[in-house]
Amino acid sequence: MLTSIAGQSVIVTGGSKGIGKGIAKVFAAKGAKVMVTARGLSDAEATVNEIRAAGGTAVAHASDVSDWGSVQGLVTKTLETFGKVDVLCANAGVFPQKKIVDLSPDDWDQVMDTNLKSTFLCVKACIPAFQMAGKGRVVVTSSITGPITGYPGWSHYGASKAGQLGFLRTAAMELARYNTTINAVMPGNIITEGLQDLGQSYLDGMAKAIPLKRLGKVEDIGYAALFLASQEASYITGQTIVVDGGQILPESAEAIDSI
Ligand code: NAP
């Protein structure tokens, strides 16, 4: 199952760290050729080295997903390197925490540009490649925060993640003519380097609030993205998959305590 990903050319934005790194490794392990991109080239190269050491194919490229010229350069580089773009994993994102009372208009714009405008820019830049190939797949990394839940300090982040889903529903209709699907994965709390920095007691507290009693692994998101990018998922478009260990389910603190 999911063998159709072998030999496919896959762009993973934000592929140098965290969830993006997990997605890149899962795709590479299944035989995809992965373009790992982030602003920081050295982190992207470190991820590529790990993939190559495991026998996979990957190339690093520095790009800023909030900048149209940079995103166009990313697609050009991928076409030059792998000859095609089969899959776009629009994953790069930032989540600086600040309550509305302290949030500046510039803070708002920075998060919107990196998380939401970038989704539009990356999809737009890949359309000619999908058109050329006669097919394409887009997998967006959204979040439960915004579309389903709220968290103080993340109003701008939540709006950007909900905005991605509003974008993808119309994009799914427009991309259909290029035989291209677009879907989103909505992670709950996933263990990344950044989350680990918050300390063990924070991680333990979060795990207690999740019915499956553990935080997610980056591979949990990677496998969901892999499925949505596969031939087997070719009839699914404009949809979302929550991958959160059941985190959004409890109605109250009592509900989680009674498991
Ligand atoms: P992370 O570990 O901080 O990694 C973020 C990645 O995005 C890095 O590779 C970073 O590299 C890149 N990036 C940031 N700004 C960029 C820009 N302007 N242009 C290009 N690349 C950029 O974050 P993460 O936790 O893995 O999150 C990845 C995605 O998952 C985000 O969209 C986030 O909203 C979503 N998510 C995460 C969680 C979670 O629990 N971790 C939960 C729900 C959703 P550079 O800084 O070098 O550019």
Side-chain angles (χ1 to χ4, degrees):
M1 173 134 175
L2 309 184
T3 50
S4 58
I5 214 69
Q8 304 280 298
S9 165
V10 181
I11 295 174
V12 183
T13 71
S16 67
K17 291 182 208 159
I19 289 175
K21 184 174 178 175
I23 294 173
K25 285 176 140 183
V26 164
F27 275 81
K30 293 288 179 191
K33 298 179 235 176
V34 184
M35 181 59 66
V36 174
T37 187
R39 289 166 303 178
L41 186 58
S42 57
D43 286 335
E45 285 171 339
T47 297
V48 162
N49 289 340
E50 283 182 41
I51 289 172
R52 288 181 181 163
T57 303
V59 169
H61 177 73
S63 71
D64 180 343
V65 290
S66 65
D67 180 88
W68 176 229
S70 188
V71 170
Q72 286 178 299
L74 166 65
V75 174
T76 302
K77 171 76 180 176
T78 309
L79 289 171
E80 283 168 4
T81 310
F82 299 139
K84 56 182 182 165
V85 180
D86 297 300
V87 181
L88 164 67
C89 293
N91 165 81
V94 290
F95 31 91
Q97 205 171 2
K98 213 180 252 190
K99 290 189 177 158
I100 297 165
V101 68
D102 299 317
L103 195 64
S104 72
D106 283 348
D107 293 332
W108 176 274
D109 287 346
Q110 194 238 335
V111 165
M112 286 295 163
D113 286 357
T114 308
N115 297 0
L116 180 55
K117 183 177 161 195
S118 66
T119 308
F120 151 65
L121 294 181
C122 291
V123 168
K124 182 176 173 66
C126 285
I127 286 176
F130 295 150
Q131 203 169 2
M132 202 168 65
K135 66 178 176 56
R137 290 277 190 285
V138 181
V139 182
V140 174
T141 309
S142 175
S143 177
I144 59 169
T145 310
I148 300 176
T149 63
Y151 204 110
W154 278 324
S155 63
H156 52 342
Y157 175 74
S160 73
K161 293 283 134 181
Q164 287 180 307
L165 302 189
F167 170 78
L168 84 76
R169 292 189 180 103
T170 291
M173 297 173 71
E174 294 188 16
L175 294 177
R177 68 182 301 168
Y178 311 118
N179 191 25
T180 293
T181 67
I182 176 168
N183 296 286
V185 179
M186 298 163 71
N189 274 268
I190 308 300
I191 300 183
T192 57
E193 301 88 329
L195 213 67
Q196 250 156 353
D197 289 346
L198 297 175
Q200 197 55 47
S201 71
Y202 173 85
L203 298 178
D204 292 345
M206 290 305 299
K208 272 190 202 148
I210 298 170
L212 286 179
K213 299 295 178 202
R214 69 168 177 90
L215 276 74
K217 296 181 277 202
V218 293
E219 293 79 11
D220 293 323
I221 306 305
Y223 288 122
L226 180 71
F227 169 64
L228 291 171
S230 69
Q231 178 59 31
E232 288 84 346
S234 64
Y235 203 51
I236 301 172
T237 195
Q239 302 304 312
T240 58
I241 298 182
V242 173
V243 183
D244 72 341
Q247 186 176 345
I248 59 170
L249 301 176
E251 287 184 10
S252 65
E254 288 71 28
I256 191 87
D257 287 345
S258 66
I259 288 177

